[in-house]
Amino acid sequence: MEYKETLLMPKTKFEMRGKLPSKEPGFQKRWKEQNIYEKMLKKREGCEPFVLHDGPPYANGDIHLGHALNKILKDVIIRSKFMDGYKVPYIPGWDTHGLPIETAIQKLGHNRKEMELADFRKLCYNYAMEQVEKQKAGFLSLGVVGDYDHPYITLTKEFEAHQIEIFGKMAMNGLIYKGLKPVYWSPSSETALAEAEIEYKDVKSPTIFVKFPVKDGKGILDTDTSFVIWTTTPWTIPANLAICLNKDYTYALVNSEKGKLIVLEELVDALWEKFGLQEKQLLKTFKGSELEMITCQHPLYDRESLIILGDHVTADAGTGCVHTAPGFGADDFFVGQKYGLPAYCNVDEHGCMMSDAGEWLAGQYVDDANKTVTQKLDEIGALLKLEFITHSYPHDWRTKKPIIFRATTQWFASIDKIRDQLLEEIDNVDWIPKWGQQRMHNMIADRGDWCISRQRAWGVPIPIFYAEDDTPIMDQTVFDHVAGLFKEFGSNIWFEKEAKDLLPEGYTHPGSPNGVFRKETDTMDVWFDSGSSHTGAMVERGLGYPADLYFEGSDQYRGWFNSSLIIGTAVHGHSPYKQVLSHGFVMDGKGVKMSKSQWNAVAPGEITKKYGADILRLWAASVDYQADCSMSDEILKQISENYRKVRNTFRFLLANIDGENDFTKADLVDVNTLPALDKYMLIMLADVCEKVKKAYGEYRFADVTSMLTNLMTNEFSAYYLDYTKDILYIEKKDSNRRRQVQTVLYYAVDTLVRLWAPILTHTAEEVNDFFHTEEESVHLGAFPVVPIFENADEIKEKVARLMLIRADVFKALEEARAEKIIGKSLEAHVMINVNDEDRALIEEYCGNKFNQWLIVSRVSFSVDELKAYEVCQIAVEKCEGKVCPRCWNITELNAEDGLCERCAAVLE
């Protein structure tokens, strides 16, 4: 007889190898056919909703790993909240206006300046929609769930109409105005930029120190005296209108071989050394306030430069005399306003000097003008020093080229009027990580009014008409009418019709006695688009306000979190989110940020084709995502190995409760009748289950994956499944003891597949196909309820003691193996000396199966002095007797054919 044939070996069609790249598309197709998202909503009808509002990715190009990290973790949140009993409506979104799409269309050979604007915009629209479909396919390949058939897209008629309504409400509340101010200006993009569109890079800049001779010293200074200014932007010297001092600082009048110079007293020694001056005679000192309203002669032009006072002047760099060009800097502009100085701007939208800068300079780009201005100052003897410094300078985040500050007439959203309310709202939000609160507070506290106008073609037009006297028309009737037009025809109508055809029929205005109107040509900042999505998507689709959660990358504190907070508070009176969670950037194996421009970005599609989406999902859920996280081949191999352990444990569990031929729900044993060691496994399962549910609720996904992996590999694979093989394989198929163990395995699969489902979506569904946790899909189920035992703490305490004894035995067995006393552990006879209390504990929990629990053939209790270990004394010898050909245990009593008594009884 082949005894091997009599063993109840594990059987399952659940494959050892995941073959995820070939299997996952099938599951995704099934979920689409099942309408799994709609069924999730229906199943939780009437339950408390949890709304995660999707920050819209920009619709341009394939998805990258940053997208994948974001969408996967959002999906984990949505699925875990669903399994925790919430209704989870999730509407994915796309941001679709702005420069990158304009640039893409022009790269395809379409020149926006040589065609009708409305036609160019139609090309942009079609391109954006193609990009949305491409990215949608990329997201769905990650195994995500949501209303992808009905996403919100910022170019749709309904969304644009809501945006106009929001603009109108803010305008009527006095929060929108037109003004002349220095703004971030990108010559490379030919448009104003918002703070969120700026990134800083180190650049090498010329630094010049220049003499401005006194023209009218007001009886305090002679005309043979010069103020010394300092700047890193020599191209702004032609726009100088003033020199700013600090009223409280002490300034020194010092004689030198270059004439009498005025600088900050505390900087005299350092500056004289820098200028290479030998003569240094202190003539007099003045408070800054004493020198106010003195005038200097501009060294390059026939005009004056006024001495003014400002608190922004510091002593940490320069000379203490700040070159002031109100057309090219915020501080300069605001201090200039106090003195009635104009925001003089002599640089055009291309970043080139204009004709009023003089023939010698006109037409030069600002970087070239730096050199020309410096040379001219040197020629006339006004230059004291030229040097170069490396410093952080703002760049256009799209073109990666330097920007300038330039005074232009733009539309602004007032921050000042609602700043206190915004700061109060920030304090009412739950920020994760906690530092997000301070970061957001500082950004709102320090930011100026928001420049919302852009000189672009592809965007939502600013819905303003001008009367004949150039008055901007702020009229609720007009805003409502435009919103209605956009809802019916889309925003392109603004560029297809004349102003009179866009106004309400018969509209009149005091500023237009002849009934002539013109329309604004600027479009809105794209951050105004996405920043109004809480209304255009959430409120519009019945999801309410505010959202439970906003979750995006940490760069969105200055972007989407920021613009959404401003618009939401301005329109609805409070923040659009209750909780904000942020994640870091994805780095390569060397710690460099992954980006297309760096050529180090791995496409998610490459990973899913090679490893599978579940590997990518496991990576996203395993990393410390709140900080920057790394991705490399080595990391993927490590994640794949972790996945293999999880999968193989599932496979072993399923193989020992083969639902087709062995064990079904009807075979479950009453858990209260289980032996204590089996109850212990259910207690461990219940403990981990509660901790995992809590970790999901707190977005601690790395804790989820580590707790579940440790439970499966340490508690089940390495411990319980190891010693219970002797029961599962050897005992009668329907024996009570075997059914007891299978009951534990059943609860383990039922619990673990549900706890893993939000992360390993495809694998959990595959397990469900074999185990039938849920009839249609594991993703329509809920988190498990594991049996609870009243004496759980007592069982844990006693098993913890037993585990100490087991650890000693395993150490002794390892030593015996090293000394060649035994080979396999079943060859061992363990003699053990334990105290009476431990002996009683072993008897209570293991009975006569202590050897089975230790996976040895025989255990004898001894009172002799044996080798001492941590908690007991142990000796190991080779077990004498005959090896049972069926179970491989060594026994002294043998039945027919050498079988042990147990195996003989099983085979009767």
Side-chain angles (χ1 to χ4, degrees):
M1 184 183 219
E2 280 286 335
Y3 290 121
K4 191 169 68 174
E5 304 301 324
T6 71
L7 298 176
L8 297 170
M9 298 304 288
K11 285 181 189 171
T12 182
K13 290 176 184 172
F14 184 82
E15 294 177 301
M16 182 184 294
R17 293 175 65 82
K19 299 179 185 173
L20 297 175
S22 61
K23 288 179 183 174
E24 288 173 342
F27 287 116
Q28 291 161 15
K29 183 170 179 279
R30 186 207 296 184
W31 293 329
K32 185 172 176 59
E33 289 168 355
Q34 287 175 328
N35 292 320
I36 205 81
Y37 171 71
E38 289 78 6
K39 285 179 178 173
M40 287 170 71
L41 292 182
K42 193 173 180 184
K43 190 141 190 186
R44 295 286 184 267
E45 199 63 58
C47 296
E48 184 182 346
F50 178 88
V51 177
L52 190 171
H53 181 41
D54 188 36
Y58 194 76
N60 188 25
D62 294 318
I63 68 168
H64 53 67
L65 270 178
H67 287 133
L69 177 72
N70 178 268
K71 289 294 185 195
I72 287 169
L73 293 180
K74 282 177 180 170
D75 195 56
V76 172
I77 293 168
I78 290 157
R79 291 179 185 276
S80 60
K81 288 291 181 184
F82 172 83
M83 296 196 86
D84 204 25
Y86 291 91
K87 184 178 183 179
V88 283
Y90 174 69
I91 303 168
W94 271 274
D95 196 7
T96 48
H97 290 121
L99 180 63
I101 287 175
E102 281 192 40
T103 305
I105 294 300
Q106 294 190 105
K107 281 181 181 174
L108 292 172
H110 305 282
N111 189 335
R112 77 178 174 96
K113 293 177 180 177
E114 293 177 3
M115 61 192 299
E116 289 294 328
L117 207 51
D119 293 334
F120 181 78
R121 283 171 55 86
K122 283 172 186 170
L123 293 173
C124 291
Y125 178 98
N126 293 334
Y127 178 84
M129 291 305 289
E130 287 169 14
Q131 301 303 305
V132 167
E133 290 306 312
K134 184 192 288 189
Q135 291 189 357
K136 186 191 294 185
F139 292 144
L140 289 170
S141 74
L142 302 173
V144 299
V145 72
D147 198 355
Y148 279 88
D149 288 338
H150 311 97
Y152 79 87
I153 305 174
T154 59
L155 54 62
T156 59
K157 298 171 185 175
E158 296 79 11
F159 194 98
E160 291 179 333
H162 278 297
Q163 193 169 326
I164 299 303
E165 289 167 359
I166 285 168
F167 180 95
K169 183 166 185 180
M170 290 176 69
M172 297 313 292
N173 288 341
L175 296 176
I176 302 286
Y177 68 93
K178 192 172 190 180
L180 176 70
K181 282 187 190 181
V183 294
Y184 294 115
W185 184 270
S186 172
S188 54
S189 296
E190 296 179 31
T191 185
L193 299 177
E195 283 182 60
E197 297 169 301
I198 300 300
E199 60 185 22
Y200 285 82
K201 293 181 187 176
D202 283 348
V203 296
K204 188 178 179 184
S205 296
T207 303
I208 59 172
F209 295 81
V210 182
K211 294 192 298 179
F212 274 63
V214 171
K215 183 177 181 183
D216 180 357
K218 306 294 182 188
I220 301 170
L221 296 176
D222 298 329
T223 54
D224 61 350
T225 302
S226 294
F227 284 82
V228 181
I229 64 94
W230 166 82
T231 183
T232 58
T233 53
W235 62 267
T236 63
I237 291 285
N240 174 283
L241 297 181
I243 297 168
C244 196
L245 313 181
N246 188 306
K247 63 181 173 57
D248 299 320
Y249 286 177
T250 302
Y251 290 84
L253 175 63
V254 184
N255 204 18
S256 76
E257 56 266 46
K258 295 275 187 177
K260 291 191 233 172
L261 306 177
I262 289 192
V263 296
L264 201 62
E265 183 185 30
E266 63 188 85
L267 297 176
V268 169
D269 291 343
L271 288 170
W272 255 241
E273 186 178 337
K274 187 187 288 287
F275 301 157
L277 298 175
Q278 302 304 313
E279 187 180 341
K280 185 169 58 177
Q281 183 186 1
L282 178 64
L283 302 175
K284 198 172 182 182
T285 61
F286 307 89
K287 283 290 182 191
S289 55
E290 297 176 65
L291 304 175
E292 186 180 22
M293 303 308 288
I294 286 173
T295 61
C296 291
Q297 176 63 48
H298 194 295
L300 298 175
Y301 303 96
D302 185 18
R303 67 166 182 263
E304 294 180 351
S305 185
L306 183 68
I307 302 299
I308 61 176
L309 304 175
D311 294 333
H312 64 285
V313 179
T314 63
D316 55 3
T319 64
C321 307
V322 175
H323 152 58
T324 301
F328 294 118
D331 287 334
D332 299 34
F333 174 80
F334 289 118
V335 74
Q337 276 189 318
K338 294 177 185 174
Y339 288 88
L341 299 175
Y344 172 53
C345 178
N346 54 7
V347 173
D348 67 17
E349 68 271 21
H350 304 290
C352 294
M353 305 302 294
M354 293 160 69
S355 58
D356 53 349
E359 281 184 26
W360 58 280
L361 197 56
Q364 291 191 23
Y365 185 65
V366 289
D367 281 351
D368 302 319
N370 276 338
K371 188 173 182 181
T372 307
V373 169
T374 302
Q375 285 175 340
K376 189 83 168 174
L377 290 167
D378 195 25
E379 286 169 15
I380 62 175
L383 184 72
L384 284 171
K385 178 72 176 177
L386 162 68
E387 60 185 16
F388 288 87
I389 62 165
T390 299
H391 64 136
S392 185
Y393 191 81
H395 287 64
D396 182 330
W397 76 332
R398 292 193 182 94
T399 64
K400 309 299 180 188
K401 292 182 179 175
I403 59 114
I404 60 176
F405 293 91
R406 177 173 176 261
T408 60
T409 301
Q410 301 287 343
W411 284 96
F412 294 88
S414 173
I415 305 301
D416 248 0
K417 289 185 178 179
I418 57 170
R419 194 184 310 276
D420 290 344
Q421 190 181 0
L422 291 171
L423 294 174
E424 191 178 320
E425 286 303 311
I426 290 168
D427 292 341
N428 295 331
V429 173
D430 179 22
W431 300 88
I432 307 171
K434 285 294 178 196
W435 51 256
Q437 179 174 355
Q438 192 60 48
R439 188 169 179 181
M440 195 66 161
H441 183 279
N442 292 345
M443 284 182 170
I444 293 295
D446 296 340
R447 81 171 286 172
D449 286 351
W450 174 13
C451 175
I452 60 168
S453 49
R454 294 291 178 275
Q455 292 65 51
R456 306 306 319 167
W458 179 231
V460 177
I462 290 177
I464 292 290
F465 297 90
Y466 296 92
E468 290 168 42
D469 62 0
D470 270 350
T471 303
I473 296 169
M474 301 273 200
D475 184 329
Q476 188 65 56
T477 309
V478 174
F479 291 134
D480 290 345
H481 183 71
V482 173
L485 288 174
F486 281 21
K487 190 164 190 176
E488 186 175 353
F489 302 105
S491 63
N492 230 28
I493 194 170
W494 187 266
F495 301 93
E496 292 168 340
K497 292 188 177 290
E498 296 299 321
K500 61 182 173 56
D501 301 319
L502 294 167
L503 283 160
E505 196 171 341
Y507 185 79
T508 59
H509 188 274
S512 286
N514 302 309
V516 176
F517 299 91
R518 65 180 177 88
K519 60 189 176 184
E520 177 61 73
T521 56
D522 284 357
T523 55
M524 283 191 230
D525 178 9
V526 292
W527 290 106
F528 202 99
D529 295 16
S530 58
S532 61
S533 63
H534 42 66
T535 305
M538 286 194 332
V539 176
E540 160 73 10
R541 301 277 281 271
L543 303 190
Y545 183 101
D548 292 286
L549 179 68
Y550 273 35
F551 173 45
E552 301 300 329
S554 54
D555 54 338
Q556 296 308 317
Y557 288 98
R558 66 181 186 140
W560 191 56
F561 298 158
N562 205 304
S563 61
S564 298
L565 176 72
I566 293 165
I567 296 172
T569 304
V571 174
H572 297 283
H574 57 93
S575 165
Y577 37 70
K578 298 175 188 174
Q579 196 174 47
V580 170
L581 177 66
S582 66
H583 61 79
F585 294 109
V586 180
M587 307 296 202
D588 65 16
K590 296 174 184 172
V592 178
K593 182 187 169 187
M594 284 197 173
S595 67
K596 290 176 188 173
S597 58
Q598 293 281 349
W599 297 102
N600 66 341
V602 185
E606 291 173 28
I607 296 172
T608 55
K609 279 174 190 163
K610 184 176 178 182
Y611 294 97
D614 272 6
I615 300 300
L616 199 52
R617 293 178 70 96
L618 185 55
W619 164 79
S622 300
V623 296
D624 177 13
Y625 68 86
Q626 290 177 19
D628 292 340
C629 43
S630 296
M631 169 60 85
S632 66
D633 273 334
E634 281 307 305
I635 289 168
L636 281 171
K637 284 172 187 169
Q638 186 184 332
I639 295 289
S640 297
E641 178 58 22
N642 292 348
Y643 173 82
R644 187 189 65 78
K645 290 176 184 175
V646 171
R647 184 178 183 89
N648 283 350
T649 304
F650 267 127
R651 184 170 187 268
F652 192 86
L653 291 166
L654 289 170
N656 283 287
I657 47 170
D658 178 12
E660 289 182 23
N661 307 301
D662 189 351
F663 188 89
T664 66
K665 201 167 184 178
D667 296 310
L668 283 171
V669 174
D670 180 356
V671 293
N672 292 305
T673 66
L674 292 178
L677 288 173
D678 291 344
K679 286 181 179 177
Y680 170 76
M681 292 308 295
L682 293 182
I683 291 165
M684 296 301 290
L685 198 61
D687 282 357
V688 169
C689 181
E690 289 311 306
K691 287 175 184 171
V692 163
K693 286 194 279 188
K694 188 171 189 289
Y696 269 127
E698 295 171 356
Y699 315 123
R700 293 182 289 107
F701 308 125
D703 289 349
V704 170
T705 60
S706 74
M707 284 189 284
L708 290 176
T709 306
N710 288 339
L711 179 70
M712 293 178 85
T713 54
N714 298 339
E715 301 298 329
F716 277 95
S717 285
Y719 163 60
Y720 189 70
L721 297 176
D722 198 21
Y723 90 82
T724 56
K725 287 174 188 171
D726 191 61
I727 299 163
L728 293 165
Y729 300 179
I730 309 299
E731 300 289 350
K732 275 188 177 173
K733 186 174 182 178
D734 59 355
S735 74
N736 185 55
R737 183 69 196 107
R738 190 165 179 274
R739 292 305 194 211
Q740 288 173 332
V741 173
Q742 286 178 309
T743 295
V744 173
L745 304 193
Y746 183 95
Y747 278 112
V749 177
D750 187 57
T751 301
L752 292 167
V753 72
R754 294 170 189 272
L755 294 177
W756 273 116
I759 296 168
L760 300 178
T761 47
H762 307 86
T763 304
E765 194 73 292
E766 188 182 357
V767 171
N768 187 64
D769 284 349
F770 288 89
F771 185 69
H772 309 297
T773 305
E774 294 289 329
E775 192 175 326
E776 191 171 6
S777 169
V778 68
H779 302 298
L780 293 174
F783 279 142
V785 178
V786 185
I788 303 295
F789 300 98
E790 286 182 11
N791 61 338
D793 289 340
E794 178 195 332
I795 291 174
K796 281 198 284 188
E797 193 179 322
K798 288 182 174 179
V799 173
R801 180 65 188 176
L802 282 175
M803 288 295 188
L804 295 176
I805 296 169
R806 181 175 178 269
D808 280 356
V809 171
F810 276 31
K811 190 173 183 185
L813 288 171
E814 198 54 48
E815 289 170 0
R817 205 173 280 118
E819 292 166 16
K820 304 282 194 274
I821 296 169
I822 60 166
K824 294 182 293 188
S825 64
L826 281 176
E827 294 174 12
H829 172 200
V830 174
M831 289 154 285
I832 186 166
N833 184 340
V834 293
N835 61 38
D836 292 344
E837 198 176 326
D838 285 344
R839 177 74 186 266
L841 177 59
I842 292 166
E843 185 64 38
E844 180 188 357
Y845 273 58
C846 302
N848 62 355
K849 296 292 184 182
F850 190 38
N851 65 306
Q852 186 182 63
W853 188 64
L854 295 172
I855 320 176
V856 298
S857 285
R858 190 177 305 151
V859 176
S860 303
F861 290 97
S862 172
V863 293
D864 296 337
E865 190 81 16
L866 305 173
K867 183 175 177 181
Y869 289 85
E870 292 293 325
V871 297
C872 58
Q873 297 174 9
I874 302 166
V876 177
E877 64 180 24
K878 193 170 181 74
C879 189
E880 296 299 328
K882 292 194 174 178
V883 178
C884 173
R886 185 168 179 271
C887 70
W888 301 101
N889 277 276
I890 299 171
T891 58
E892 293 169 334
L893 298 170
N894 292 102
E896 192 180 342
D897 293 339
L899 290 173
C900 67
E901 286 188 327
R902 177 179 63 151
C903 286
V906 168
L907 295 180
E908 277 180 4

